[in-house]
């Protein structure tokens, strides 16, 4: 365990743990969009800025850094709010809002941090390129259905070649993770559609109660990973 300070308060943590994670657990509020504790911090949105002061050979150096991917180190001094942080954070929100002007979460952040009129050319994108869907699909679900396509303003998180996904099992994990809610899911009794990836798959219906509880492809994926049989999922959890 090591000790350092956040806004003057001494905290203890494991060396190397994410500063953002520690700060959150200690009740400090640092805005963030692309951090999710189930995957490696990618540092994409840059919203979680803090100032970190380190002392080396008797000299103090302060730098502005993203906190999600900055490791806890002995003796550092972390500041979560300052004029410099606020100014940079407002600029980041403005840039994100220029990319995805209809994103409600960004509009809320803009209101909270006093970002007025956006001075940059607005695009009609919905995705802020945080990469969470790509990482979660690959590293947590184990499907790897998504990646980044295109360049510059045309860059986007998509299935390969922007085609309807052939790999997606419609588990919905990316839907839950997207910080700007741009991956929509639609469901009927028998089908589930992940709208953004143009993937529609049948749902497994419980043979006992008739409740449709998961996409059949998701259950097949799970069965393959665990060595179970699809027959083990003939009924829903409640009827088991
Ligand atoms: S819904 Fe599809 S793309 Fe999203 S995490 Fe699940 S498998 Fe991957
Ligand atoms: S679709 Fe959502 S989760 Fe995926 S990269 Fe874009 S903003 Fe992030
Ligand atoms: S949450 Fe740290 S860069 Fe996005």
């Amino acid at each position: 365990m090591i000790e350092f300070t956040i806004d003057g308060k001494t905290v203890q943590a494991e060396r190397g743990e994410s500063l953002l994670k520690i700060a959150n657990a200690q009740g400090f509020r640092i805005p963030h969009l692309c951090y999710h504790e189930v995957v490696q911090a990618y540092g994409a949105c840059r919203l979680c800025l803090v100032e970190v002061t380190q002392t080396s050979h008797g000299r103090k150096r302060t730098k502005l850094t993203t906190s999600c991917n900055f490791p806890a180190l002995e003796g550092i001094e972390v500041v979560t709010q300052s004029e410099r942080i606020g100014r940079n954070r407002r600029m980041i929100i403005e840039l994100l809002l220029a990319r995805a002007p209809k994103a409600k979460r960004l509009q809320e952040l803009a209101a909270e941090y006093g970002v007025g009129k956006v001075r940059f050319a607005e695009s009609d994108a919905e995705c802020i390129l945080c990469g969470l869907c790509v990482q979660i699909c690959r590293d947590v679900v184990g499907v790897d259905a998504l990646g980044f396509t295109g360049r510059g303003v045309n860059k986007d998180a998509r299935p390969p070649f922007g085609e309807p996904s052939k790999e997606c099992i419609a588990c919905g994990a990316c839907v839950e993770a997207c910080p700007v809610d741009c991956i929509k899911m639609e469901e009927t009794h028998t089908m589930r559609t992940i709208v953004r990836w143009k993937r529609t798959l049948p749902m497994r219906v419980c043979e006992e109660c008739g409740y449709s509880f998961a996409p059949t492809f998701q259950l097949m994926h799970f069965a393959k990973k665990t060595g179970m049989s699809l027959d083990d999922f003939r009924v829903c959890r409640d009827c088991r």
Side-chain angles (χ1 to χ4, degrees):
M1 298 294 278
I2 52 145
E3 264 189 12
F4 64 99
T5 64
I6 304 179
D7 293 343
K9 178 185 170 188
T10 301
V11 295
Q12 292 186 329
E14 270 184 45
R15 180 186 296 277
E17 217 178 324
S18 153
L19 277 190
L20 177 63
K21 186 178 175 191
I22 299 162
N24 276 343
Q26 293 283 336
F28 296 95
R29 188 171 174 279
I30 301 174
H32 54 91
L33 289 168
C34 72
Y35 174 76
H36 197 304
E37 58 183 32
V38 299
V39 290
Q40 181 82 29
Y42 180 55
C45 74
R46 308 203 60 78
L47 197 61
C48 64
L49 290 175
V50 293
E51 283 179 332
V52 174
T53 302
Q54 285 175 285
T55 307
S56 173
H57 304 296
R59 284 186 63 193
K60 283 192 169 195
R61 289 217 172 121
T62 301
K63 66 177 176 187
L64 197 61
T65 179
T66 48
S67 57
C68 63
N69 54 0
F70 196 96
L73 300 171
E74 180 70 44
I76 57 173
E77 296 162 45
V78 181
V79 170
T80 65
Q81 294 189 51
S82 69
E83 192 281 324
R84 184 185 180 201
I85 294 170
R87 185 167 21 95
N88 280 276
R89 201 169 272 161
R90 280 192 292 281
M91 175 64 80
I92 289 162
I93 294 170
E94 194 177 342
L95 287 165
L96 289 169
L97 206 49
R99 175 168 170 90
K102 294 191 192 119
K104 197 161 172 288
R105 180 74 191 110
L106 297 182
Q107 291 168 357
E108 287 167 358
L109 283 165
E112 184 179 346
Y113 287 90
V115 176
K117 193 169 160 32
V118 173
R119 293 165 293 170
F120 308 107
E122 291 189 359
S123 86
D124 57 358
E126 294 178 321
C127 163
I128 57 165
L129 306 174
C130 76
L132 264 185
C133 56
V134 177
Q135 279 186 293
I136 284 189
C137 186
R138 183 189 59 217
D139 302 340
V140 180
V141 184
V143 168
D144 204 8
L146 308 171
F148 286 111
T149 62
R151 288 179 179 198
V153 288
N154 295 321
K155 192 171 174 187
D156 211 355
R158 290 272 172 201
F161 312 111
E163 297 287 322
S165 175
K166 294 187 179 68
E167 310 295 330
C168 169
I169 57 172
C171 68
C174 57
V175 179
E176 289 295 319
C178 180
V180 288
D181 202 22
C182 72
I183 311 171
K184 302 288 183 207
M185 184 163 85
E186 290 173 358
E187 214 168 276
T188 65
H189 182 58
T190 53
M191 304 297 254
R192 176 183 286 179
T193 299
I194 309 294
V195 180
R196 190 170 177 84
W197 317 138
K198 303 186 183 83
R199 182 67 155 164
T200 299
L201 290 174
M203 298 291 283
R204 188 80 160 178
V205 175
C206 174
E207 291 181 12
E208 293 288 334
C209 70
Y211 173 63
S212 67
F213 59 96
T216 309
F217 272 52
Q218 182 183 351
L219 296 172
M220 285 163 64
H221 177 73
F222 186 69
K224 194 172 157 195
K225 277 182 103 172
T226 56
M228 293 170 80
S229 153
L230 196 55
D231 279 348
D232 295 328
F233 302 102
R234 287 186 301 106
V235 294
C236 70
R237 197 188 312 178
D238 289 348
C239 293
R240 229 173 265 159

